[in-house]
Amino acid sequence: MYCNDCEKSVDNFEIFEDVFDDNQGKISTLIHTIKAYTWNDVIKFVKDEYFEDQKDLVIDCEKEFAYIERHAKSDTGLTNSLKQSRSYKIFLKNANDTDFQKSTSVSNGLIDLTVQK
């Protein structure tokens, strides 16, 4: 929640999905560009959108990126867990960055979390 005294600033984030493939290894794909007020807003969006069961999630936030993945079960072989695992990386983008301008096409799914519902 924000009080009326807080100044909200909108940041732009890009979400990449990492999928492990038998033939190609790890494949990263840009799936969304998101406008949001906080990292927490974006992390909540990813958890709600892509993880039906939110148990055993590993979430790591750093200064310029965050990632979310399902914690691998210890009884599953490492090879199988890597092949079947998906993870999501979130990067904070500078709105003046030319790469950001290119990535905001409709195919990348621009989502605005700053709009009141």
Side-chain angles (χ1 to χ4, degrees), residues 60-90:
D60 186 20
C61 296
E62 301 294 333
K63 185 176 180 178
E64 295 178 1
F65 74 94
Y67 75 84
I68 302 172
E69 65 183 358
R70 184 158 317 283
H71 182 64
K73 302 282 186 205
S74 59
D75 56 74
T76 305
L78 180 59
T79 306
N80 288 339
S81 66
L82 283 177
K83 288 179 185 175
Q84 298 172 5
S85 68
R86 286 191 168 168
S87 62
Y88 297 89
K89 288 186 278 186
I90 304 166

Side-chain angles (χ1 to χ4, degrees), residues 10-62:
V10 175
D11 287 314
N12 298 294
F13 301 85
E14 288 185 333
I15 300 176
F16 290 83
E17 179 180 41
D18 289 343
V19 178
F20 293 91
D21 181 271
D22 287 337
N23 300 325
Q24 298 176 351
K26 184 173 83 169
I27 303 168
S28 292
T29 305
L30 176 64
I31 57 172
H32 294 296
T33 301
I34 293 185
K35 290 172 60 174
Y37 293 119
T38 66
W39 281 97
N40 203 35
D41 294 340
V42 180
I43 289 170
K44 181 179 179 338
F45 171 83
V46 172
K47 284 175 26 180
D48 293 346
E49 188 76 16
Y50 296 105
F51 294 100
E52 187 174 308
D53 178 11
Q54 296 186 10
K55 296 178 199 169
D56 300 323
L57 293 181
V58 176
I59 301 172
D60 186 20
C61 296
E62 301 294 333

